[in-house]
Amino acid sequence: MASTYDVIVLGLGAMGSAAADHLAARGARVLGLERFGPAHDRGSSHGGSRIVRQAYFEGTAYVPLLLRSYELFERLERDAGRELSVLCGGLWIGRRDSEVVTGGLYAARLWDLPHELLDAAEVRRRFPTLDPRDDEVALYEDKAGLVRPEATVAAQLRLAAAAGAELRFGEPVLRWEALPGGAGVRVRTPDGAYEAGHLVLCPGAWAPEHLDGLGVPLTVRRQVMYWFQPAGGPAPYAPERHPVWLWDRGEEPALYGFPAIDGPDGGVKAALHGGGPECAPDTVDRAVRPEETAALAACAAPRVPTLPGRLLRAATCLYTCTPDEDFVIAPHPAHEDAVTVACGFSGHGFKFAPVVGEILADLALTGATGHPIGLFRPDRFTAGSRRGR
């Protein structure tokens, strides 16, 4: 006989662990299922750091979700009893008409977010590790910074378990089905069958496997992160002196990086945002080749002259992308009362994890949320319409 729960959460990465935390805190009987171990490095929520920011050039509709996410990150830190974030400031660099600058500036002004617009000379004076061209500017955001993904996921899992959630690791889901007559859902794994009134699907890069009937064209892409020991050492990159940063390169993937947050031997992390070859999560090539490192170094050197320095290590992660790079967060269109979906975070989702968890708990327990999520409906592709940002 199948074990029965209020809610089953499939996938316990950034979004699934947040959902399990919120659901269990509200008293729901929660089962969380994860194919790997806790806070693993096989998907998208690893690599030591993720940028957080509020002046969102991707669209102003994201800003209220970000403001709530900041509140929830603070609460998570208090509840977990450990630091998860470093608000060291952020620089968004590009030509004055670039998407990063114009979009970020529009969001900052619309939502009255603290910010400064710096010319190239001022960037070089305040942050001498960075060398923008004279025709480039930077939007500086004091409340930007970074969060630690593995520590965040681990904290959410610990709090979920402490609130009574049953979390099962190393147990992949083989299939799921909505039961007839609105009787909930059944999930099968190699260890057995489980039933619940509701299923929350947070499959990450395995979304194409579990959501082939969603009607959303999802593409999984391989990304590479690099850690370098800068020429001259990491001291100028200390978080009290150096912000997170993202460099708009026009049609090419943006270059981004972090301060040195892991001590003198931890290096400085940099990577490209976007692009990357299509892949499948179970067969992705995780080896990083010298020519890939050389390409990143050639991109960074004119902009961050003491990088690359010496390569310390590199690692792959996975983006699961929608065609418009907006998320999918909604009831499953074929099973609206029984299944909620969160996927397609397109490489910019981690900063939203706490608020996505709150939204998923709302939808699973009440069928509605007060958060603005109309942008994330899956039928935006099948209906042929594009909702405004």
Side-chain angles (χ1 to χ4, degrees):
M1 183 174 179
S3 300
T4 303
Y5 301 84
D6 294 325
V7 184
I8 296 173
V9 179
L10 186 161
L12 294 173
M15 308 309 173
S17 64
D21 179 14
H22 282 277
L23 286 162
R26 299 186 197 184
R29 293 172 298 147
V30 178
L31 172 65
L33 297 170
E34 168 58 53
R35 68 174 59 212
F36 300 112
H40 62 82
D41 64 355
R42 303 284 87 187
S44 305
S45 301
H46 62 281
S49 55
R50 289 292 185 275
I51 290 175
V52 291
R53 50 194 170 90
Q54 295 180 350
Y56 219 59
F57 65 84
E58 291 90 340
T60 57
Y62 284 93
V63 175
L65 296 175
L66 286 163
L67 298 178
R68 177 57 175 162
S69 195
Y70 267 61
E71 294 174 352
L72 292 172
F73 268 121
E74 291 178 6
R75 189 172 82 184
L76 181 62
E77 287 184 311
R78 292 194 301 268
D79 292 346
R82 65 168 299 178
E83 181 184 86
L84 301 172
S85 62
V86 179
L87 296 185
C88 54
L91 275 178
W92 324 129
I93 308 168
R95 295 174 60 93
R96 190 174 290 271
D97 61 353
S98 66
E99 179 187 13
V100 163
V101 174
T102 60
L105 193 60
Y106 180 68
R109 289 170 175 169
L110 182 66
W111 287 95
D112 196 25
L113 303 172
H115 66 281
E116 300 175 70
L117 188 62
L118 311 178
D119 63 20
E122 183 65 7
V123 172
R124 291 191 290 263
R125 185 187 71 80
R126 289 172 57 173
F127 308 105
T129 57
L130 303 174
D131 189 18
R133 300 190 310 259
D134 288 342
D135 65 345
E136 292 179 313
V137 298
L139 179 68
Y140 178 73
E141 185 180 352
D142 188 60
K143 290 189 176 181
L146 62 95
V147 294
R148 297 180 180 270
E150 294 95 337
T152 297
V153 171
Q156 291 175 159
L157 292 173
R158 284 196 300 272
L159 291 171
E166 179 183 342
L167 307 178
R168 300 176 66 91
F169 298 97
E171 190 168 347
V173 170
L174 301 176
R175 61 184 180 275
W176 63 267
E177 59 182 329
L179 298 175
V185 295
R186 180 181 294 119
V187 172
R188 295 190 181 275
T189 78
D191 291 354
Y194 309 98
E195 293 183 359
H198 203 92
L199 174 64
V200 173
L201 287 165
C202 302
W206 287 262
E209 172 185 330
H210 290 291
L211 294 169
D212 57 353
L214 187 63
V216 177
L218 296 168
T219 302
V220 179
R221 295 191 177 277
R222 174 183 177 273
Q223 306 289 314
V224 182
M225 304 171 284
Y226 304 85
W227 287 260
F228 298 101
Q229 185 72 323
Y237 292 86
E240 61 270 18
R241 302 171 62 183
H242 201 281
V244 297
W245 50 273
L246 186 145
W247 217 300
D248 190 314
R249 301 194 304 138
E251 296 300 316
E252 297 297 320
L255 176 71
Y256 69 95
F258 295 83
I261 58 172
D262 295 317
D265 299 320
V268 172
K269 178 183 171 185
L272 295 175
H273 172 69
E278 292 187 28
C279 65
D282 291 322
T283 58
V284 60
D285 182 0
R286 296 189 181 272
V288 178
R289 291 169 174 76
E291 57 268 26
E292 294 180 291
T293 304
L296 188 282
C299 177
R303 298 170 172 89
V304 194
T306 55
L307 292 185
R310 176 169 57 89
L311 177 69
L312 298 177
R313 63 188 179 97
T316 58
C317 74
L318 303 173
Y319 283 7
T320 307
C321 301
T322 64
D324 56 13
E325 298 189 352
D326 288 327
F327 311 154
V328 175
I329 308 172
H332 193 296
H335 312 287
E336 292 191 352
D337 295 331
V339 181
T340 299
V341 176
C343 67
F345 289 93
S346 302
H348 65 113
F350 194 91
K351 62 184 73 64
F352 297 89
V355 71
V356 171
E358 185 172 63
I359 291 167
L360 294 174
D362 291 344
L363 294 174
L365 297 179
T366 72
T369 182
H371 290 294
I373 61 169
L375 180 66
F376 308 136
R377 291 171 56 95
D379 65 0
R380 67 184 187 266
F381 301 106
T382 56
S385 62
R386 177 70 175 88
R387 289 164 176 81
R389 288 173 174 268

